[in-house]
Structures are given as C-alpha cells and as structure tokens.
Amino acid sequence: MKKRVIAVLLAATLAGTLTACGSGGAGASNDTGTTETTKTGGGSEDTMLGSESAAVHLKAGTTTAPDGHYVKGLQEMQKLLEEYSSGEMTIDIYPNSQLGNERDMMENVGMGVQEMCLISTGPIPNFVPDFAVLDLPYLFEDAQQAYKVLDGEVGTSLLRKLDGQGIKGVGFWENGFREVTNDKKEIVTPEDLKGMKIRTMENNVHMATYKELGATATPMAWSEIFTALQQGTVDGQENPIAIIESAKVYEVQKYVSMIDLFYSPCVLMIAQSTYDSFTDAQKEAFDKAAEEAKTYQREYSASYTDEAVRKMKDAGVTVTDVDKAQWKEAAAGVYDELDSLGLNKELVEKIQASK
Ligand code: EAX
C-alpha cells in the first residue's frame, strides 16, 4: 500500500511543482470594461487556456483532475462561450487545485481576485449555512430527483443566497453520489465502518453522518488526501466514482463500497463584479453557455460512472454493492440533529415536499 501511495503522491507532487508561479491574475480592464487576465494565464501543463484571441479570459479553478467530469463540463462551456460570444470571451481552466482548495477559491471569487470556480457544496455552508441541507444523507433517491429540486425554487433560492458573498451562483452541476473507499477490508455493512478513520470534506453534516455510522470523520481539503493516506492519518475517504477514478484514488484504495451516502452537487460560481462588468450581449452568451454546459456535464457524469466502475474492477479493485436500506437506517439519526447542526428545518421539509 505505502509504495503505491508514494508513487501516486510523487505523480501528484510533480504535477503540482509544474504549476507556474504567478499564474496570470485579473489584469487591466479592456475597452469592453471587462477584466482581462494575462494571455499567458500561467498554470501547469494541466491548465487548459481558452482561445488566445479572446478579449475576455475568465480564470476558472477546480480541485479535480484534468480528465475528470468537472473539467469536461468546463471544457464544454469554454467551447460554447467562445461560440456564443463570437470569439470575444473564453474560460481558462485550472484543474488539480492550482488556484487553491475549494474554500480558498470560493473566497477569492467572492473578493473578485479570481473570476470563476466549480466546487462541491463541501465548504459552502461555512459561508451560507442553508446550503448544508443539501449534504444530508440519502436526501435524494436518484440524480433526476436531485436535478428537480436543484433546478427548482429551492436550488434557485440557495444560489441567490451567494449574492451576499459577492458571488453569482450560476448553477448546480454534478459531483455525484458519494461512495466510501479504504485499503484495509471490504465494507459491506455500517458495522464494518466502525472505528475507521475516514477523510471527509470540511463539512459538519458529512462529519456528523460518519460519526453516526461509527467512523472517525477526519475533515481535510481534497489536495491533502494522498499525503494523509500515505501517512496513515486516515484509513479511507469518500467521493463519487468520477473523482475516485479520475484522481486515481483507486490505485491506493483496494475497496470501494457503493453506499451512495450523499448526493453531492457542485456549484459553478462567478465573481459578481466580473459578471456585472459584462455587456448585455456578453451576459446572454455566458448564461446560455453555462446552462447548456450544465446539461452536458450531468449527462457526462452519469455515463462516466458505469465505465469507471468497470475500469476499476479490471484494475483489481473490489467494488461492493450494499443493502442501502440498512445504511439509510443507520444514518437516519442525523435527521434528529438538525437543530444542533444548525440546519434549516423548513428548507428540509420544502425539499422533501418538492422531490
Ligand atoms: O469537488 O473535496 C472533495 O471530496 C470534493 O468532492 C472534490 O474536491 C471535488
């Protein structure tokens, strides 16, 4: 295990050191009054810069891998935005936490020092507490149910709450149903999880849920996971299959249990100041590209999962289907802690009613 973790860690470190210093931050405004980043954009070999001829370059950061489902959606948006703005606007994509962890990027977008980010809901409740309701276990039975709520009045009202952070919440894209991995043993029932140290996002609801299941929840930023696995700080982690596969977590975690504990959306954000600087035509192009890229990214995420599971099984990973009713019952106690977790009970009831 340790040799494999070191190999994957070295690969990840090498990618990190290739990150150019001083990636082009927000540059001088151009004649359309919008922010123009430096053409070079900076970044590592994983950076995906949009068309050099575009006048408006929007820096978009994500913690996920260059060939993962977040970046595929951003690449689609990059293509559509260039098309709908007649080449005037583009997105420069920075994967692999080049622009910081999810919390950093959300803060930077809020301050207007970074134009965009695509992040999970993990850190958001630290800024907008009402988002935490989306992190409850077994809140949605399937992705279609999640889309109905997230694209409806509940999701729209949550996105609007980001205004107070200087952020325009553009839309809910898909991270996916979160599965648990480890390298010690097959996890079939909640009993098997007892006493295991599981890395979670820095999210109180996820931490409370793993505690309810008998595990020790160890919160940390995604960029720290390989070091934590190598040092034995944690026994396992939890993420959607698309992350487990694209970040090559399966190379150091032999067991994956398909518990579907949480449905995890991700949120596309743009600095409000950046969006307000767009002309009406630029806003129209941006909104259209973002909406169509959201549909593409969700479809890609769904199709990717089946293929990724097959690929991991071929690589010798034990992928275990579990009795989800048993897991749902074991995690249900978290719904008795809504008050102590500071969750908006009315919003939870609204979600239950609108599914
Ligand atoms: O947003 O931190 C996490 O586990 C997230 O799922 C990952 O960074 C993608």
Side-chain angles (χ1 to χ4, degrees):
M1 153 76 165
K2 288 208 181 292
K3 282 184 183 162
R4 282 184 290 131
V5 173
I6 290 168
V8 180
L9 184 60
L10 281 175
T13 306
L14 182 61
T17 49
L18 288 175
T19 300
C21 303
S23 52
S29 62
N30 56 19
D31 55 2
T32 57
T34 53
T35 302
E36 179 185 44
T37 56
T38 51
K39 286 288 184 293
T40 59
S44 76
E45 60 181 12
D46 296 332
T47 306
M48 299 159 190
L49 300 181
S51 166
E52 271 213 28
S53 60
V56 177
H57 282 253
L58 304 170
K59 230 187 225 297
T62 165
T63 58
T64 58
D67 59 350
H69 59 329
Y70 281 36
V71 174
K72 291 294 182 194
L74 289 170
Q75 284 179 297
E76 180 69 10
M77 185 172 174
Q78 182 187 71
K79 181 191 78 175
L80 293 171
L81 183 58
E82 289 179 3
E83 179 187 336
Y84 296 147
S85 68
S86 305
E88 190 183 18
M89 305 167 80
T90 192
I91 295 171
D92 295 331
I93 304 165
Y94 291 77
N96 274 340
S97 302
Q98 289 179 63
L99 302 183
N101 63 42
E102 294 194 327
R103 185 186 183 116
D104 298 335
M105 290 193 284
M106 182 172 173
E107 287 177 331
N108 291 336
V109 169
M111 291 186 291
V113 297
Q114 174 181 332
E115 286 86 20
M116 295 174 69
C117 66
L118 179 62
I119 65 169
S120 70
T121 53
I124 300 178
N126 297 301
F127 302 87
V128 183
D130 274 355
F131 264 80
V133 298
L134 297 180
D135 295 308
L136 282 164
Y138 300 111
L139 184 66
F140 299 117
E141 282 154 31
D142 56 44
Q144 292 306 321
Q145 200 175 73
Y147 302 159
K148 181 182 174 194
V149 171
L150 295 172
D151 294 345
E153 196 223 326
V154 168
T156 305
S157 67
L158 283 172
L159 291 175
R160 270 204 301 271
K161 288 176 187 284
L162 290 167
D163 295 354
Q165 303 293 324
I167 292 169
K168 179 177 174 59
V170 179
F172 286 100
W173 292 17
E174 180 159 284
N175 194 0
F177 282 99
R178 300 181 76 94
E179 320 304 354
V180 66
T181 72
N182 85 97
D183 207 45
K184 287 190 170 176
K185 62 180 182 180
E186 189 176 20
I187 294 174
V188 184
T189 69
E191 193 63 31
D192 297 327
L193 202 58
K194 287 206 183 326
M196 294 190 86
K197 296 175 289 186
I198 302 296
R199 177 268 174 182
T200 67
M201 295 197 285
E202 294 154 305
N203 178 290
N204 291 342
V205 178
H206 284 196
M207 291 165 64
T209 304
Y210 270 93
K211 185 180 172 194
E212 181 75 19
L213 292 170
T216 299
T218 311
M220 67 182 73
W222 179 239
S223 55
E224 297 164 23
I225 186 62
F226 283 106
T227 303
L229 290 171
Q230 189 235 348
Q231 293 174 352
T233 316
V234 293
D235 302 312
Q237 65 84 45
E238 50 86 49
N239 244 295
I241 290 295
I243 297 285
I244 295 167
E245 198 275 332
S246 61
K248 299 191 174 7
V249 174
Y250 71 91
E251 291 183 355
V252 294
Q253 297 267 278
K254 285 202 302 284
Y255 302 100
V256 177
S257 298
M258 305 296 279
I259 60 175
D260 289 354
L261 187 57
F262 310 106
Y263 175 80
S264 186
C266 51
V267 180
L268 184 68
M269 301 179 177
I270 186 171
Q272 191 65 55
S273 56
T274 300
Y275 188 79
D276 292 345
S277 75
F278 291 163
T279 63
D280 289 347
Q282 288 173 334
K283 285 187 176 116
E284 190 180 337
F286 181 88
D287 294 347
K288 183 171 164 60
E291 190 60 23
E292 291 178 15
K294 175 181 77 173
T295 302
Y296 170 90
Q297 193 270 342
R298 285 173 171 177
E299 288 169 359
Y300 180 87
S301 173
S303 64
Y304 184 90
T305 297
D306 295 341
E307 185 193 330
V309 167
R310 185 193 49 72
K311 185 175 171 185
M312 291 192 293
K313 286 180 177 175
D314 290 349
V317 175
T318 300
V319 180
T320 305
D321 291 319
V322 301
D323 173 357
K324 273 193 267 184
Q326 185 183 23
W327 283 82
K328 188 171 182 178
E329 186 184 342
V334 172
Y335 283 82
D336 298 331
E337 301 172 37
L338 297 183
D339 287 332
S340 60
L341 287 168
L343 295 185
N344 181 331
K345 292 171 81 167
E346 279 175 33
L347 198 48
V348 175
E349 286 159 12
K350 208 167 186 181
I351 289 174
Q352 303 294 13
S354 57
K355 290 197 287 195

